[in-house]
Amino acid sequence: MLGGFRIDSFENPPAGGGGGGLFLESTVPISFVSFISSRIDCSNPSFCSSSSSSTRVLKKLASNSSNGFFERKERGINGFLSVSLSSSGNSEYVEESSNSLLKQENGENMMNVVEESVEKKQTQKQQNRIRLRQKGAMNTTKHLWSGAIAAMVSRTFVAPLERLKLEYILRGEKKNLFELIKTIAANQGLKGFWKGNFVNILRTAPFKAINFYAYDTYRKNLLKMSGNESTTNVERFLAGASAGITATILCLPLDTIRTKLVAPGGESLGGVVGAFRHMLQTEGFFSLYKGLLPSILSMAPAGAVFYGVYDILKSAYLHSPEGRNRTKYMNQQGQELNAFDQLELGPFRTLLYGAISGACAEAATYPFEVVRRQLQMQVKATRLSPLATCAKIVERGGVPALYAGLIPSLLQVLPSAGISYFVYEFMKIIFKVE
């Protein structure tokens, strides 16, 4: 072993030429190769006779090493190089390198590394997808809870007004508002004004949760489909109508049960479960969807007006000089603002715009509400179509009968809608809904 290479001679070389093993580093200079070749032991004539040829071959190998022939080490591949020198005196040589085996081995290692890298990337992508789904599911849950809490707070606050509205619609009360209040207080006490409120919350909490979430979802999807920078009024009304229909279809059975409980004789049904069982046994499952058509006819325009008016008022304010200044101030302060100050419209305008939008929706769709309540009260034997029910109401009390209870209804809707929107926007900030 000399320097960067070794030549091993064989006493009995194979037929046709001498054999030798050469370990050659890529950094061996050609002068060193010449020096070693001049000192080769010539005790073996066959080997020595080819010394001049060997010198030329070694020089050629060393030259090739400097020109990239032996760039294996730089590429991270090391191996054994076997060179057979011809005894005939020519300068031919045969490279019999074990690098082919090492290349195959290193190739397999590289393939394993690549496969591991690809598998790692796929696993990481899958984990990212799972995290995104989990994040999306959590965001949806928080979004729904924001709407549900808004409904619970607003409905409990205005439950007495809701009770008065139902008395006018279902019982056809002719008394003025103050006389009706005295009658309820005398017969049922203070808790009589919250009669049916628990069932009302069971109905309105999921209804409002689905309604708010559906509207935001439909509006965002319509905005993506249109490619506009901001939502148009048509998209707002369409998203609101779709949200109203979605929530109505999913939540109408609870509304029907609540109406049964509040109506005369409802106390004898034994609460929500009793009323549910009674309706299934006496009228069948589809009795829970009595009044579905007028419900959709009322909730579609109600949702369109409610959300459309609110968003129009909100957009008008945000594009006003005062609104731009408020938006700029909020962006500068960032997270330093408390939850109330983070409301885009501020607390007062959120309440006000919510109340206005709720009143507009109620006034525009109130006749449908009257017809729907009457349909829910009908039994199977005497059930009428929505059109026939509307005609019967007009026949009994004239057109004003379609607006029976509108004043207490508006008194109920104004605070209810305002509080509902305020709590909804507030809870989205608390829950950090995206």
Side-chain angles (χ1 to χ4, degrees):
M1 182 71 181
L2 296 171
F5 73 99
R6 184 185 67 199
I7 297 179
D8 293 326
S9 61
F10 295 92
E11 299 242 343
N12 297 311
L22 176 67
F23 288 92
L24 185 63
E25 291 288 337
S26 61
T27 58
V28 175
I30 188 169
S31 59
F32 184 78
V33 174
S34 300
F35 171 75
I36 295 301
S37 63
S38 66
R39 299 176 64 94
I40 295 176
D41 185 11
C42 293
S43 60
N44 189 328
S46 63
F47 185 79
C48 186
S49 64
S50 62
S51 61
S52 60
S53 174
S54 301
T55 301
R56 288 194 300 272
V57 170
L58 292 175
K59 288 179 179 179
K60 184 177 180 181
L61 289 174
S63 175
N64 284 335
S65 72
S66 64
N67 293 327
F69 188 82
F70 291 110
E71 292 176 355
R72 298 180 180 91
K73 186 171 184 180
E74 281 137 8
R75 295 176 189 169
I77 304 173
N78 295 313
F80 169 76
L81 177 65
S82 173
V83 178
S84 296
L85 302 177
S86 174
S87 61
S88 60
N90 59 28
S91 60
E92 295 177 357
Y93 67 91
V94 180
E95 181 182 355
E96 299 169 348
S97 176
S98 64
N99 267 330
S100 59
L101 295 176
L102 290 174
K103 282 182 179 179
Q104 182 178 357
E105 214 174 288
N106 287 330
E108 291 177 357
N109 291 336
M110 288 296 294
M111 286 297 295
N112 291 335
V113 171
V114 171
E115 288 176 0
E116 289 176 3
S117 178
V118 171
E119 185 177 352
K120 186 177 180 180
K121 288 181 178 178
Q122 290 177 345
T123 303
Q124 188 174 2
K125 286 181 180 179
Q126 187 175 3
Q127 290 175 348
N128 289 337
R129 285 196 295 267
I130 293 173
R131 279 195 292 267
L132 286 174
R133 283 197 296 266
Q134 291 174 344
K135 185 178 179 180
M138 180 60 68
N139 191 64
T140 300
T141 302
K142 292 189 291 188
H143 208 147
L144 290 170
W145 268 110
S146 298
I149 294 172
M152 293 177 192
V153 174
S154 63
R155 286 296 175 176
T156 301
F157 186 83
V158 300
L161 295 173
E162 176 76 8
R163 174 66 195 279
L164 294 174
K165 183 183 81 170
L166 289 177
E167 288 290 331
Y168 278 106
I169 294 177
L170 300 180
R171 300 178 187 270
E173 283 288 350
K174 303 298 182 182
K175 300 176 182 178
N176 62 47
L177 185 59
F178 294 104
E179 289 179 354
L180 182 58
I181 292 173
K182 289 179 181 179
T183 302
I184 295 175
N187 295 336
Q188 302 176 27
L190 188 61
K191 67 179 182 180
F193 291 99
W194 277 268
K195 180 183 178 181
N197 185 55
F198 177 71
V199 181
N200 195 23
I201 287 176
L202 290 179
R203 175 186 71 89
T204 56
F207 181 86
K208 272 297 180 184
I210 295 171
N211 209 343
F212 275 123
Y213 175 75
Y215 172 71
D216 286 344
T217 303
Y218 291 148
R219 181 172 54 82
K220 289 177 182 178
N221 288 332
L222 287 172
L223 183 61
K224 288 180 181 179
M225 290 170 61
S226 66
N228 298 325
E229 292 183 1
S230 60
T231 309
T232 63
N233 290 339
V234 174
E235 291 169 346
R236 292 186 181 109
F237 286 121
L238 182 58
S242 301
I245 293 171
T246 302
T248 298
I249 292 173
L250 294 176
C251 301
L252 185 63
L254 286 173
D255 185 57
T256 304
I257 292 172
R258 172 181 172 272
T259 304
K260 278 284 187 183
L261 289 173
V262 174
E267 298 87 349
S268 62
L269 295 178
V272 178
V273 177
F276 177 74
R277 187 184 298 114
H278 173 77
M279 293 188 70
L280 289 180
Q281 292 175 350
T282 58
E283 303 178 56
F285 173 78
F286 289 102
S287 64
L288 297 171
Y289 283 91
K290 286 189 297 184
L292 177 61
L293 180 59
S295 295
I296 290 176
L297 292 176
S298 66
M299 289 309 303
V305 174
F306 180 66
Y307 292 110
V309 170
Y310 182 85
D311 265 7
I312 290 172
L313 293 172
K314 178 179 177 180
S315 178
Y317 170 74
L318 293 178
H319 286 85
S320 68
E322 184 181 354
R324 290 193 185 97
N325 290 334
R326 176 172 177 79
T327 302
K328 184 179 179 181
Y329 171 75
M330 290 175 62
N331 292 334
Q332 290 175 348
Q333 297 298 318
Q335 297 298 323
E336 295 180 4
L337 296 173
N338 59 46
F340 291 104
D341 291 333
Q342 289 182 44
L343 293 168
E344 284 185 288
L345 301 176
F348 174 74
R349 279 189 176 79
T350 303
L351 286 166
L352 178 61
Y353 291 173
I356 293 173
S357 62
C360 291
E362 186 74 6
T365 61
Y366 194 76
F368 293 105
E369 174 76 2
V370 174
V371 173
R372 181 172 69 89
R373 296 292 185 184
Q374 291 294 334
L375 284 170
Q376 290 176 337
M377 289 301 302
Q378 294 174 1
V379 296
K380 190 174 183 180
T382 59
R383 185 177 302 168
L384 300 174
S385 66
L387 187 60
T389 301
C390 180
K392 188 175 180 180
I393 293 171
V394 174
E395 182 182 351
R396 287 181 177 178
V399 175
L402 293 173
Y403 291 90
L406 178 60
I407 300 301
S409 181
L410 287 175
L411 292 176
Q412 174 250 329
V413 166
L414 284 167
S416 175
I419 293 171
S420 180
Y421 239 122
F422 174 81
V423 176
Y424 172 66
E425 297 287 358
F426 181 79
M427 293 309 301
K428 283 202 300 181
I429 294 172
I430 297 298
F431 288 152
K432 297 181 180 179
V433 176
E434 297 179 0

